[in-house]
Amino acid sequence: MSIATTATAPASITTGRLVLRPLRPDDAPAICTALSSWDVVKNLARVPWPYERADAETFIAKAGERAAAGEEHTFAIDNGSLVGAISVRGIEDGDAAIGYWLAEPVWGRGYATEALQALVDHVFKTLPVVSLTAGVITDNPASMRVLEKAGFVRSGPTQCATLARGEQAAIDHCLTRAAWERS
Ligand SMILES: CC(C)(COP(=O)(O)OP(=O)(O)OC[C@H]1O[C@@H](n2cnc3c(N)ncnc32)[C@H](O)[C@@H]1OP(=O)(O)O)[C@@H](O)C(=O)NCCC(=O)NCCS
């Protein structure tokens, strides 16, 4: 993995098959296509349903603003074109939260695991974060497996407020800096 950095956020993170890079305005059509799948959106907290082109444009604009403020880093997951997104937010608290999605046609190739492991390494190597968490809705075993492969452990039940299907029972997953250093 190689990391190129700027003052506020890494310009990009390169893995074996993927580049994690900042979102661009011309990503809106690919984001809109990917998030036109209920099976993607139903598992996400902050994504509205149905998903419109304007939602993608707002997502890209807000990602830029939050990155500039140092609050949140959102990356396109790019394998030659955008196939997903991954973000880390709450950096300033030290307890940051991770979120991600992949377009349905590329599920099952290990991309989410590859992107998550790269982002986790980036966060603990470069940011003053002590723990990472991700809340996973209970009917999303694929995401729980992705987190497990990246070293996260289940830390307890929680509730996840989703725009698409309201309040859902979820399970928090956590990876501490200490556990990451031991791995
Ligand atoms: C969850 C998601 C990111 C996984 O992406 P992906 O690139 O397919 O994930 P990976 O290929 O890296 O790993 C998926 C793992 O889950 C496993 N898996 C898939 N479906 C499963 C299921 N129904 N039950 C149990 N495990 C499952 C796979 O076998 C694989 O594990 P393995 O490598 O041990 O075989 C993708 O399905 C997605 O975007 N879903 C919608 C959005 C979402 O859920 N985001 C996360 C919110 S917490």
Side-chain angles (χ1 to χ4, degrees):
M1 184 181 84
S2 64
I3 299 174
T5 56
T6 64
T8 52
S12 64
I13 301 170
T14 302
T15 71
R17 297 178 294 173
L18 304 169
V19 178
L20 311 187
R21 58 159 177 82
L23 296 171
R24 306 185 300 246
D26 67 351
D27 289 323
I31 293 170
C32 200
T33 299
L35 296 181
S36 296
S37 163
W38 172 246
D39 286 332
V40 177
V41 172
K42 72 176 184 179
N43 290 310
L44 301 172
R46 300 185 295 171
V47 177
W49 182 264
Y51 199 80
E52 311 282 353
R53 174 70 173 262
D55 296 315
E57 290 165 356
T58 301
F59 172 56
I60 294 165
K62 283 193 173 168
E65 289 166 15
R66 289 171 179 155
E71 299 165 356
E72 180 167 341
H73 296 172
T74 298
F75 300 92
I77 302 172
D78 191 320
N79 73 345
S81 57
L82 180 145
V83 291
I86 188 164
S87 66
V88 56
R89 65 180 182 278
I91 298 161
E92 67 281 8
D93 299 336
D95 296 315
I98 292 263
Y100 47 83
W101 55 263
L102 264 292
E104 212 172 335
V106 301
W107 288 5
R109 299 183 189 177
Y111 281 172
T113 305
E114 189 168 320
L116 178 61
Q117 286 175 333
L119 187 60
V120 164
D121 287 347
H122 158 69
V123 166
F124 285 131
K125 282 179 184 167
T126 66
L127 298 172
V129 165
V130 293
S131 72
L132 288 169
T133 60
V136 184
I137 297 172
T138 51
D139 63 3
N140 190 1
S143 186
M144 292 188 208
R145 178 72 185 128
V146 168
L147 290 159
E148 180 187 26
K149 286 191 287 180
F152 286 67
V153 294
R154 296 182 185 202
S155 51
T158 187
Q159 292 289 313
C160 182
T162 71
L163 293 176
R165 53 176 176 154
E167 196 85 3
Q168 294 291 317
I171 300 173
D172 262 337
H173 290 65
C174 180
L175 177 63
T176 63
R177 174 179 290 278
W180 173 79
E181 283 171 350
R182 283 195 301 270
S183 64

